[in-house]
Amino acid sequence: MDKGTVIGLVAGLGLVIVSMLMGGSVAAFFDIPSLLIVLGGTFAATLVNFPMGDVIGVMKVTQKVIKEEIMPSSKYIDQIVDISKKARTNGLLAIEEDLNNVDEDFMRVTLQHVVNGTENEDLGKLMDAELAIMTQRHKIGQRMYSAMGTYAPAFGMIGTLIGLIQMLQHLDDPASVGPGMAMAMITTFYGALFANLFFLPMAGKLKLRSEQEIQFKEMLLMGVMAIQAEESPRVIQSKLVTYLTPAERKTMAGAGEEG
Amino acid sequence: MDKGTVIGLVAGLGLVIVSMLMGGSVAAFFDIPSLLIVLGGTFAATLVNFPMGDVIGVMKVTQKVIKEEIMPSSKYIDQIVDISKKARTNGLLAIEEDLNNVDEDFMRVTLQHVVNGTENEDLGKLMDAELAIMTQRHKIGQRMYSAMGTYAPAFGMIGTLIGLIQMLQHLDDPASVGPGMAMAMITTFYGALFANLFFLPMAGKLKLRSEQEIQFKEMLLMGVMAIQAEESPRVIQSKLVTYLTPAERKTMAGAGEEG
Amino acid sequence: MDKGTVIGLVAGLGLVIVSMLMGGSVAAFFDIPSLLIVLGGTFAATLVNFPMGDVIGVMKVTQKVIKEEIMPSSKYIDQIVDISKKARTNGLLAIEEDLNNVDEDFMRVTLQHVVNGTENEDLGKLMDAELAIMTQRHKIGQRMYSAMGTYAPAFGMIGTLIGLIQMLQHLDDPASVGPGMAMAMITTFYGALFANLFFLPMAGKLKLRSEQEIQFKEMLLMGVMAIQAEESPRVIQSKLVTYLTPAERKTMAGAGEEG
Amino acid sequence: MDKGTVIGLVAGLGLVIVSMLMGGSVAAFFDIPSLLIVLGGTFAATLVNFPMGDVIGVMKVTQKVIKEEIMPSSKYIDQIVDISKKARTNGLLAIEEDLNNVDEDFMRVTLQHVVNGTENEDLGKLMDAELAIMTQRHKIGQRMYSAMGTYAPAFGMIGTLIGLIQMLQHLDDPASVGPGMAMAMITTFYGALFANLFFLPMAGKLKLRSEQEIQFKEMLLMGVMAIQAEESPRVIQSKLVTYLTPAERKTMAGAGEEG
Amino acid sequence: MDKGTVIGLVAGLGLVIVSMLMGGSVAAFFDIPSLLIVLGGTFAATLVNFPMGDVIGVMKVTQKVIKEEIMPSSKYIDQIVDISKKARTNGLLAIEEDLNNVDEDFMRVTLQHVVNGTENEDLGKLMDAELAIMTQRHKIGQRMYSAMGTYAPAFGMIGTLIGLIQMLQHLDDPASVGPGMAMAMITTFYGALFANLFFLPMAGKLKLRSEQEIQFKEMLLMGVMAIQAEESPRVIQSKLVTYLTPAERKTMAGAGEEG
């Protein structure tokens, strides 16, 4: 469960609502038609921009971002080092029985290739291609949220223009000018809020998540290929530890000394 | 038929019209001269920016985007695997009779090269060059829509400036100020609407389509080159499957088990 | 003669003038001092930004863009194939007499190198360097127009600020407020119009022209180097045809069948 | 202690306060709720955008930027040259006793690898990977400050929209319009000030710091690898001196002549 | 002496002043406190963004840009060709006596390396590294001016917000509204003027100068390395001439024929 995303959204909305309450009521800011043109327009432009399947799929991606745990790299480094010890003692085929204990799909598939005897260079090429294509798939989610972060303020402005043009055509009643402009500006407010509290930050988080995942899988791939090349477990560990942050390294070193 | 593009455009326009109706009539937003300066100005700037032939060609590209089906990669993977089996049994020349069954131009041309005996490395270079040049051609369409997405709001603002300057020079009649400003703002409204509901999203969709097509053709090229190198059908399939999304892979695996 | 550039400029200006006429007179929009600060300021900033020689040279570049024909690649492909036939039959030195018939400077220089006996690899490096430096020279023109497209609206705004500040300091006569603001806004109007109808589209066209020219010369270089490597005319043609658009290919294939 | 950052912040705030005092009191610009929505909203959006740990870690990074000294490259060049002399005379293992005198972590770890007998090529790859991953870690700090520099003005505008909408709905009391608008604009002021005096400049400084650090470590790595390859101390020095600015070179040359 | 920079600045300022005079007096636009907040704020943000030494150094860089001559490449091509003739006849060591006649530091240092017997490949690597680091140093100047071009309008807006907020809090005296707003807008005017007439164009000029200098030094390096490889003077010349513009080539060819 990614707490940051949820806390950020709740806190941001909370602040905005408190800010409204201090100057009057929240009700004045809640207008279904305004909501409809901003969110609906954004969604319509997104449908023109992206394949329909991806637009629907973005809900799933969003859920994934909010739910998913970050992967504990150190656990997998330990597992790779353990497997490398076994492989050095009993040969590469002995890995097969460990495959079921590997709970990471990409790592298991790569190890399966090792057991199947795919050659080192071919394995590298195959898995690099897989990562490249995965990166490209991830980018669509980021681009969709970025695009929505552009379309939302634009449709906010479009809504405001509609409201202003209608108000300006009927200036007979001066008393209605203020509320008319206030009404017109609500769509701009919605556009700015959705873009800056949700769409753009989500695009940012998807980008970071994707980078983390790719880096994590590159680490796994490097580890498995080192197993295949029958490098010493010590060397493999020192290579993989490069991928950890200084903090993670200390934790791992501490655990290692105990072990 | 790309439903997303059509649905998005219709839904977006519908929402805008409903939004107008709720505040008054739609007629107030329909003004031929305003339309003329925004679309005409955008088109004129586009003519200065891009070669005339490409500007005219963009209509064709647009139709293509709205009409075209997305290519079912899995079908072609099956076909490549089938051909690779035949080539392994009967030799590369035996492919020739299958050429007529290949309904994808790029794949057929590449296979023809294999039958003609073009060497593996040469074939790779030739087809890579072809893909690189195709990518560059595709980019012109995207750039044109992006440019129109920049010029439309600019000419919207130019129209509004013309209207405002004229209104400000004749402030004698206070009653005409409101309608005058309303009129002036209609071009800004048009510019924002065309840019954000049509030009920019279309640029986005062309970009995605181009990426999909290039990736699809890279997959075909990899497959055909693997046939030429007489790799085993099983290896070829595992290479090509990398290009599928996880969902497509499952579907294909299911079909494979049945077969 | 590049018709698009001329038609675009004329049509764009025409639309703007028609739009003015419909709301009043054009005279109200013609103000020499406003023109001076926008164009003069843009030109001054450009002089600070770019070397003086390049700023003066941009006029020549602009003329070139408006006048120049697009190069008919297919004609040169035919010529290269013809020369390659001759070279295969009579040796590379036999090319010399054809040099005078080559009306493209870059191609003639490259062929001269072949006749002079420059080695294949050296020739490639030399001409690649030439193309790289040419690309960089072309970019200055694009960057200059892009910069002018940024400076023009900025000086438009600066002019408007000057006008507004002066108007606001003398609010004694309410009747002068409207015309004062109208006057002030004319520079913003000029800045937006010049930037979006001329400077930015010209930057775009220079970019496209440069890309076309580089691609064209890369094709020529590839062809000449294939002649030097004494590849078969058929192979040379199939390589060069990659650079044509599908439409051009059809035309060429048709002509080829007749020949 | 990075004086520039502190001086810049203090001077910038001072100027703003003086500017306020000259037109009235500072108190009018101090409003806790406005501060809350701008900073709180920015922070909330940042939490959605970045992993929670990184958001908290940014405080530490900021302190580091303000406190940290810039590394004196010349000192380490001298040290590397000294070690290289020893290594040439007494062999690579003789370096071990100098390890404790090396106060730079990265350099010590790399030298330790040399003592341990890691092969030259492996060492290069390992440390390059380490630098690549370090660069990526550094980028998160820069991206976070850049993002905050975008979100702060956005939430400033959101705050202003809330204030304006509330003011426009109650235009009964004309006397309250001025102060109402003034109040509403304070959030825009905060957003612009925080973004341009703190968030964006800090993003810039983190970027420069990261570049300096990476370049510094590349220099150390090049030096240590040259020691391992047992190059002559003179050659090593001339290689490393490339990394110094002309001014630093002169200082060093002067010191060298004395030595 | 770079005339363009000086002419551009003087002409730009002149135009602005003339524009002011036509609508009233210049005095109304001269306000020390406004100048202070815009330039002071920009400078403060720059200090937070860049290392203090670099901020002070930017003055020197600016002087250099305004003073410096552009390097006449053709002169150095002639010199390199002359030296290459000598080297071919009398050996590489014979170059030593010419070193004092070389007035370009980079060229002299590189030639010294040739005399010292640095190997060709090592020399290339060393000098490439030198150029890469020089490029990076140059970029800081460009980035600083670009940043100032962003901060100046931002502090202009901050100043205007301060002025507006103070004016809006005291709407008692309607007569003061106009002058108050005029005053407030002066900072926006300053920000726009400094950014678009000085900071952004200077960033552009530094970029071009840096590119020219790097390209010039790449030419020198290529020439010296060709001398070292004892290539024929004719070949060396034809390689170096690639770096000249078509106009420079003609001039040189003319001079060459006379010689």
Side-chain angles (χ1 to χ4, degrees), chain B residues 59-91:
Chain B
M59 289 299 295
K60 233 168 74 185
V61 171
T62 308
Q63 277 189 313
K64 203 178 146 201
V65 162
I66 291 176
K67 274 195 194 154
E68 212 175 33
E69 286 294 331
I70 296 166
M71 299 128 301
S73 298
S74 54
K75 175 189 148 191
Y76 292 98
I77 293 181
D78 287 341
Q79 197 169 22
I80 287 172
V81 172
D82 286 347
I83 292 177
S84 79
K85 284 177 190 162
K86 196 164 191 176
R88 275 206 132 191
T89 323
N90 308 330

Side-chain angles (χ1 to χ4, degrees), chain A residues 33 47-49 130 136 166, chain B residues 20 22 204-205 211 215 249:
Chain A
L47 262 178
V48 179
N49 197 333
E130 175 109 20
Q136 213 162 355
Q166 288 178 328
Chain B
M20 289 167 178
M22 290 190 348
K205 184 151 272 175
E211 285 171 5
Q215 207 180 62
R249 287 185 208 188

Side-chain angles (χ1 to χ4, degrees), chain E residues 38 53 146 236 249:
Chain E
V38 175
S146 285
I236 294 179
R249 288 185 207 187

Side-chain angles (χ1 to χ4, degrees), chain D residues 48-120:
Chain D
V48 179
N49 197 335
F50 295 91
M52 214 167 175
D54 291 339
V55 177
I56 295 164
V58 88
M59 288 299 295
K60 233 167 75 185
V61 171
T62 308
Q63 276 189 314
K64 204 177 144 200
V65 162
I66 292 176
K67 274 195 194 155
E68 211 176 32
E69 287 295 329
I70 296 166
M71 298 128 302
S73 297
S74 54
K75 175 188 149 191
Y76 292 98
I77 294 182
D78 287 341
Q79 198 169 21
I80 286 172
V81 171
D82 286 347
I83 292 176
S84 78
K85 285 177 188 162
K86 197 165 190 174
R88 275 207 133 191
T89 324
N90 307 330
L92 288 172
L93 292 178
I95 300 172
E96 192 149 28
E97 61 202 38
D98 289 302
L99 285 179
N100 292 330
N101 301 326
V102 178
D103 57 5
E104 215 288 328
D105 283 356
F106 182 81
M107 182 173 161
R108 196 174 48 247
V109 167
T110 320
L111 280 171
Q112 184 67 60
H113 273 292
V114 172
V115 173
N116 292 353
T118 309
E119 291 209 10
N120 200 281

Side-chain angles (χ1 to χ4, degrees), chain C residues 121-165:
Chain C
E121 204 182 334
D122 289 351
L123 181 56
K125 273 190 204 160
L126 202 67
M127 290 339 242
D128 275 346
E130 176 109 19
L131 287 180
I133 288 167
M134 189 196 287
T135 309
Q136 213 163 353
R137 259 202 309 273
H138 284 191
K139 270 193 186 148
I140 290 187
Q142 303 162 29
R143 272 152 66 172
M144 205 179 300
Y145 272 112
S146 285
M148 288 196 272
T150 314
Y151 294 138
F155 279 92
M157 195 183 87
I158 288 171
T160 298
L161 284 166
I162 294 177
L164 281 183
I165 291 172

